[in-house]
């Protein structure tokens, strides 16, 4: 984050999403897309508890397959934004209650 | 924002979007949806320059009509997230260049 002042709350959220994608996308290969291992690292670091509870790699593979809408094996920024939007919608209810996503968040891939 | 620590960058972005929606949605009527005037205020305050350049109300009306996907006259949180996702995708290119959305942002509704 290298944001000077005069950035609104909504713009700040957009900057954070752009920076998050870039941070993980640049770790291997194309900086404009997330490989499967980059998606896994991103979810482990940014959404702790979401996939850490997954018992095996298959759950992560299934998740990635579902998120890679155009089936090219990587997740581009548009696909990333669809995921973030869906997750934010899913956690609006719990957030309205407890006001803290890090507490609301449960291991949704535990089986 | 009433976020204690242990919130990741991506979770923070989600909190900011949730708080932004709530802040404007609660100003009149249903706190779970944005009326047309709430959308206008939200865009004026959070995306300065985006609609402030619009010469007349018709541009804002057309925008709202396009964003109200289910045609019920208000924007719910899911519709709001689609808009935020689309705007973030649109401004990724300029952001990668200048690193500041408040500088990148242009009055896209000026005609």
């Amino acid at each position: 984050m290298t944001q000077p002042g005069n950035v609104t709350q909504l713009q700040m959220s957009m900057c954070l999403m752009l920076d998050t994608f870039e941070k993980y996308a640049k770790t291997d290969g194309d900086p404009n897309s997330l490989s499967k291992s980059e998606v896994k690292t991103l979810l482990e670091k940014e959404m702790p508890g979401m996939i850490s509870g997954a018992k095996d790699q298959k759950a992560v593979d299934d998740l990635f397959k579902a998120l890679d809408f155009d089936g090219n094996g990587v997740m581009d920024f548009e696909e990333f934004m669809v995921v973030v939007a869906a997750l934010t919608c899913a956690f609006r209810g719990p957030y309205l209650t407890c006001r803290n996503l890090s507490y609301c968040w449960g291991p949704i891939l535990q089986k």
Side-chain angles (χ1 to χ4, degrees), chain A residues 11-72:
Chain A
Q11 287 175 329
M12 179 58 74
S13 74
M14 297 164 72
C15 293
L16 287 169
M17 292 185 286
L18 288 159
D19 285 348
T20 300
F21 179 85
E22 186 185 8
K23 176 181 175 184
Y24 295 92
K26 71 181 181 187
T27 58
D28 67 37
D30 184 1
N32 292 308
S33 64
L34 295 160
S35 65
K36 192 182 293 187
S37 69
E38 286 171 337
V39 170
K40 186 169 180 292
T41 305
L42 187 156
L43 292 176
E44 283 173 346
K45 301 279 191 186
E46 299 294 329
M47 293 294 169
M50 182 179 160
I51 65 168
S52 64
K55 293 286 192 298
D56 56 54
Q57 182 62 34
K58 187 174 181 305
V60 179
D61 288 345
D62 289 347
L63 175 68
F64 187 83
K65 196 177 291 182
L67 302 180
D68 176 27
F69 303 112
D70 60 6
N72 67 347

Side-chain angles (χ1 to χ4, degrees), chain A residues 59-104:
Chain A
V60 179
D61 288 345
D62 289 347
L63 175 68
F64 187 83
K65 196 177 291 182
L67 302 180
D68 176 27
F69 303 112
D70 60 6
N72 67 347
V74 296
M75 183 185 292
D76 62 23
F77 187 72
E78 287 73 15
E79 291 169 331
F80 171 72
M81 281 308 305
V82 171
V83 173
V84 174
L87 289 175
T88 310
C89 289
F91 284 88
R92 185 170 177 245
Y95 180 72
L96 289 178
T97 304
C98 74
R99 298 278 149 189
N100 185 340
L101 283 180
S102 69
Y103 297 152
C104 300

